[in-house]
Amino acid sequence: MFLSNIRKFIFHELRSVEGYIDPPDALVYLSILERQRENDLGGGIAEIGVYFGRSYFLLKKIASPEDRVLGIDLFDIGEMSDGISEQYRSFLENGDRLGLPVNEDLLVVGDSADLSPKDVLSKVGEVRFFSVDGGHMLPNLVADSQLAKETTADHGVIVFDDTFNPAWPEVTVGVADFLRNHDGAFSAFCMTKYKTYVCRREFHDFYRAAILRAPHLRAFDLTETQFLGSDAIRLHNPFGRRILYEFMTRSGMSAISERAYRCH
Ligand SMILES: C[S@@+](CC[C@H](N)C(=O)[O-])C[C@H]1O[C@@H](n2cnc3c(N)ncnc32)[C@H](O)[C@@H]1O
């Protein structure tokens, strides 16, 4: 895929989908998935917590056409008609509008806690990138991190959303429990304002280096931090840049807002 194409998607089209992923994390997703592709680290892609599809469509856009992308959500937001919620309907419409039609065979409508590893593996095989962004309470994190652990490939990455967000304190507890309960088998290699990126210990240095060397992340300050025995890279997005980006997008300049994050 052409770089200008994916950057335009991240900085312009993605904003048209209601949801929560912002450009810094979108660029981290891109960097990880590209590095996996360059190293032939294959596998499916999965997300718990699709909402209206903002990060789901980003994953679909970055993935190759033959990649299998699984979406899991309650899809119970808004009025129901003909057995389908408003959320589900507009999610499908977003896919058609963006030229990324949803494969409904790879959607699970329901509670992620009811899924077994076999349910995931039978649809997408072992997962190389698992986004955990569903229910934000401790029992959700316990169930979803377990499902992610049992379905990710050895080289897979698990991304936890809303870590260290005071609005959702139990997410942080869930991620810390997950890391501590597995005797160091998993470690955090990257942390952003909103997300914590985790992999198996054997791949820690590989993914840490992928973040440090990623061409898409040169616009950020990358600093070291420690989290439960691992040296993770913290992606710092300076306040001035965030303000500039918001100003550009809110004043109708979203097509050129990418310049706020240009790598020099
Ligand atoms: C914060 S939103 C996800 C945001 C989305 N990833 C994005 O990029 O915009 C959380 C989603 O998780 C879903 N959800 C909450 N609890 C769930 C559960 N137990 N099982 C599956 N999905 C769940 C909600 O329906 C909602 O759509």
Side-chain angles (χ1 to χ4, degrees):
M1 181 188 317
F2 292 113
L3 186 56
S4 58
N5 188 6
I6 183 70
R7 283 185 74 95
K8 180 170 166 282
F9 184 82
I10 287 173
F11 288 98
H12 189 46
E13 285 153 281
L14 211 49
R15 282 185 73 90
S16 69
V17 179
E18 195 179 330
Y20 293 98
I21 195 164
D22 66 356
D25 279 300
L27 293 169
V28 174
Y29 277 31
L30 177 62
S31 303
I32 292 171
L33 287 159
E34 276 189 353
R35 195 85 184 103
Q36 289 179 331
R37 191 179 299 152
E38 285 160 12
N39 286 273
D40 289 327
L41 299 177
I45 294 174
E47 174 164 72
I48 300 174
V50 169
Y51 197 42
F52 293 96
R54 191 186 272 204
S55 47
Y56 170 92
F57 291 120
L58 171 69
L59 290 167
K60 272 194 76 102
K61 182 79 180 176
I62 300 171
S64 310
E66 64 276 9
D67 278 328
R68 296 172 78 75
V69 183
L70 177 67
I72 303 159
D73 202 292
L74 297 168
F75 285 111
D76 61 355
I77 300 172
E79 298 229 331
M80 301 291 287
S81 65
D82 299 330
I84 294 176
S85 68
E86 267 175 41
Q87 179 193 4
Y88 190 86
R89 207 180 295 278
S90 47
F91 168 60
L92 294 188
E93 282 167 10
N94 283 335
D96 291 339
R97 181 173 52 78
L98 294 170
L100 297 166
V102 174
N103 177 352
E104 291 183 74
D105 292 339
L106 296 183
L107 279 189
V108 175
V109 179
D111 190 332
S112 56
D114 295 337
L115 291 180
S116 71
K118 225 161 104 192
D119 295 325
V120 173
L121 295 170
S122 65
K123 286 192 180 287
V124 295
E126 284 195 326
V127 175
R128 75 171 188 278
F129 191 99
F130 204 129
S131 159
V132 176
D133 192 10
H136 279 34
M137 301 307 286
L138 191 54
N140 303 118
L141 266 292
V142 170
D144 293 351
S145 59
Q146 179 73 9
L147 186 66
K149 183 200 109 181
E150 287 178 12
T151 56
T152 44
D154 287 348
H155 55 264
V157 168
I158 307 173
V159 187
F160 293 98
D161 186 65
D162 269 323
T163 42
F164 305 100
N165 180 346
W168 299 105
E170 295 196 10
V171 172
T172 311
V173 176
V175 175
D177 283 353
F178 175 71
L179 291 172
R180 286 193 286 191
N181 289 343
H182 290 96
D183 292 329
F186 290 85
S187 61
F189 64 90
C190 178
M191 302 171 81
T192 65
K193 189 165 190 287
Y194 301 109
K195 295 185 192 274
T196 298
Y197 295 77
V198 166
C199 66
R200 284 191 172 75
R201 177 73 60 185
E202 305 80 84
F203 281 83
H204 181 90
D205 291 347
F206 172 83
Y207 284 115
R208 197 174 162 282
I211 298 297
L212 278 174
R213 294 183 197 144
H216 310 298
L217 302 178
R218 283 196 197 122
F220 299 96
D221 297 336
L222 302 177
T223 58
E224 295 272 350
T225 192
Q226 288 289 318
F227 187 45
L228 299 175
S230 313
D231 48 346
I233 304 298
R234 189 170 74 86
L235 200 82
H236 177 61
N237 190 14
F239 183 66
R241 177 173 317 110
R242 278 187 277 144
I243 294 289
L244 176 64
Y245 175 72
E246 283 304 318
F247 170 76
M248 284 171 135
T249 48
R250 283 170 201 220
S251 51
M253 293 189 278
S254 75
I256 57 161
S257 62
E258 182 254 340
R259 290 185 193 170
Y261 286 94
R262 193 153 277 180
C263 310
H264 299 290

